[in-house]
Amino acid sequence: MTESRTDSAATPVAGSSTHSMSEAGAYLAVENLTVEFPTPDGPVRAVNGLSYTVGMGQTLGIVGESGSGKSVSSMAVLGLHDAKLTKITGSIRIGEKEVVGLSESGMRKLRGNAVSMIFQDALAALHPFYRVGSQLAEAYQVHHTKSSKRDARRKAIEMLDRVGIPQPDKRVDDFPHQFSGGMRQRAMIAMGLINDPSLLIADEPTTALDVTVQAQILDLLQDLQREFNSAVIIITHDLGVVAEMADDVLVMYAGRAVEYGSTKQILSHPEMPYTWGLLSSIPDVQSDTDARLIPIPGNPPSLLNPPSGCSFHPRCAHRDKVPGNLCATQLPELTPASNGTAHVKRCHLPDPDAIYQTEVLPEIAPDLVEEN
């Protein structure tokens, strides 16, 4: 379904992780995933029929507004939902192992080892009562039970040094509050990579960081991905991050995939009105200083009572262009986009290119502007 800008996803490089590959070169394969939570007002289907793949050395960017199901779907990959309360159906294959329905002890063997996650709030993710080095060492020893405390501490110092923490042999004994925001994020990356995982999920890794530190963190992730040849999923609201890092982009809305394709396809020829809204709401640094932002009207739908038909139709300015009121009555399927590539979109509009003409914004994707 996806089209990567490189062929690394299908061909592991020498020195890459020893975790096995699944079929068709995809290390992670999510098929028809549904995640449903019970609430006093009724069930909430936070993820609905989601499918995607990520290969070794490949980066997938997942974008969408808050509540679209980005983090919920990724937490399902790591088995972080309460199995007694959460109903999960579909398939999630990590390597050759099916993890939907896997026991907690089975997930613990994978979590932090074959697959790891960098959480959004590093200050909340790191325990305030324990030294940073102790937390990294613990993450290492869980999967290297024969290693000594000295070996684990040495590994923690090595990882802190690798992610750019100055004086790692001294800072290893600091508490999280003694680290700056950027340093805490680097420590979270070190913890995520300490066991050389084949799959790394980064959930808003640059949230609350200034632009200089954001750039440093993104450069670090790219450098480490090249070193470990990991498959990477980056969850973000920032299309600039996607333009810089991702090979493929998955756009989510109301728990479903609404557009999916290579980064170049999505940014230069989007065919779903929701994706148009995300791109149009980005400030244009070259426009008139008095120009207003163009927000997406309305609010995301309640997943307790989602709208009929296309979930986006109550907010879509183009629904009247589709005959027969299809947008309000019939859920569109994911269908191939008009450019004849692996790009797919969930929309009833018969000819999106006739309605929306876009230029890749140079401030978020200068390389793609030069290619076009």
Side-chain angles (χ1 to χ4, degrees):
M1 182 179 288
T2 58
E3 177 183 292
S4 174
R5 291 182 295 191
T6 71
D7 59 3
S8 60
T11 308
V13 299
S16 64
S17 175
T18 57
H19 299 297
S20 61
M21 298 286 290
S22 67
E23 61 186 11
Y27 182 73
L28 172 68
V30 176
E31 296 179 10
N32 199 28
L33 176 67
T34 297
V35 182
E36 187 173 287
F37 302 107
T39 73
D41 297 319
V44 171
R45 186 164 289 185
V47 178
N48 197 342
L50 183 65
S51 299
Y52 63 84
T53 61
V54 190
M56 298 297 291
Q58 184 184 26
T59 299
L60 172 69
I62 303 181
V63 300
E65 293 171 291
S66 296
S68 62
K70 306 184 302 297
S71 296
V72 171
S73 62
S74 294
M75 290 177 68
V77 172
L78 279 93
L80 293 177
H81 297 300
D82 188 335
K84 296 180 180 179
L85 298 177
T86 310
K87 181 180 178 181
I88 300 177
T89 59
S91 173
I92 302 172
R93 294 193 307 277
I94 299 176
E96 297 293 344
K97 185 176 288 292
E98 175 62 54
V99 301
V100 173
L102 190 64
S103 66
E104 179 58 27
S105 60
M107 281 306 307
R108 277 198 295 266
K109 293 178 182 178
L110 292 176
R111 194 185 299 133
N113 187 28
V115 55
S116 191
M117 190 167 187
I118 302 169
F119 292 96
Q120 182 171 351
D121 187 349
L123 184 59
L126 291 168
H127 200 295
F129 294 166
Y130 294 94
R131 301 178 192 276
V132 171
S134 298
Q135 297 182 61
L136 267 68
E138 181 184 18
Y140 181 75
Q141 285 188 293
V142 164
H143 296 287
H144 297 80
T145 54
K146 296 182 179 180
S147 64
S148 66
K149 290 184 177 180
R150 179 177 296 179
D151 290 338
R153 177 182 171 85
R154 186 182 303 115
K155 183 68 174 180
I157 294 172
E158 175 190 331
M159 289 305 302
L160 288 177
D161 182 55
R162 186 171 292 184
V163 298
I165 298 295
Q167 298 181 307
D169 54 330
K170 297 180 180 178
R171 303 308 300 265
V172 71
D173 293 319
D174 284 353
F175 290 95
H177 72 270
Q178 294 176 281
F179 276 32
S180 67
M183 289 173 65
R184 283 194 294 268
Q185 198 65 42
R186 289 173 184 267
M188 283 297 301
I189 295 171
M191 185 180 294
L193 293 172
I194 199 165
N195 293 305
D196 298 347
S198 290
L199 173 64
L200 181 66
I201 301 174
D203 188 357
E204 297 280 1
T206 58
T207 296
L209 301 178
D210 63 66
V211 292
T212 302
V213 178
Q214 284 185 30
Q216 293 172 353
I217 294 297
L218 295 179
D219 288 343
L220 173 63
L221 283 172
Q222 289 177 307
D223 290 342
L224 291 172
Q225 183 188 28
R226 284 190 289 269
E227 180 178 348
F228 290 97
N229 194 44
S230 301
V232 173
I233 296 175
I234 185 161
I235 301 168
T236 182
H237 295 84
D238 191 339
L239 287 170
V241 172
V242 166
E244 180 176 346
M245 289 199 63
D247 299 295
D248 299 308
V249 179
L250 171 65
V251 183
M252 292 189 66
Y253 185 79
R256 288 190 172 95
V258 294
E259 195 157 9
Y260 187 23
S262 74
T263 302
K264 182 176 180 179
Q265 292 161 0
I266 296 296
L267 293 183
S268 59
H269 299 289
E271 295 202 6
M272 168 64 187
Y274 179 61
T275 312
W276 302 346
L278 293 177
L279 287 167
S280 297
S281 61
I282 297 173
D284 185 352
V285 297
Q286 297 180 353
S287 66
D288 191 326
T289 55
D290 295 328
R292 291 179 174 269
L293 294 178
I294 307 174
I296 301 174
N299 297 307
S302 167
L303 297 181
L304 277 170
N305 297 293
S308 60
C310 174
S311 299
F312 186 62
H313 88 264
R315 307 172 68 187
C316 182
H318 305 284
R319 60 183 181 270
D320 295 335
K321 298 180 176 68
V322 177
N325 199 29
L326 277 181
C327 293
T329 60
Q330 182 176 321
L331 176 67
E333 298 293 331
L334 276 174
T335 56
S338 61
N339 54 25
T341 64
H343 180 185
V344 293
K345 45 91 176 182
R346 191 186 297 276
C347 187
H348 287 303
L349 284 173
D351 187 9
D353 286 339
I355 300 171
Y356 184 81
Q357 299 294 328
T358 182
E359 295 181 359
V360 181
L361 298 179
E363 58 267 32
I364 69 167
D367 294 339
L368 298 186
V369 171
E370 292 174 4
E371 290 178 14
N372 289 342

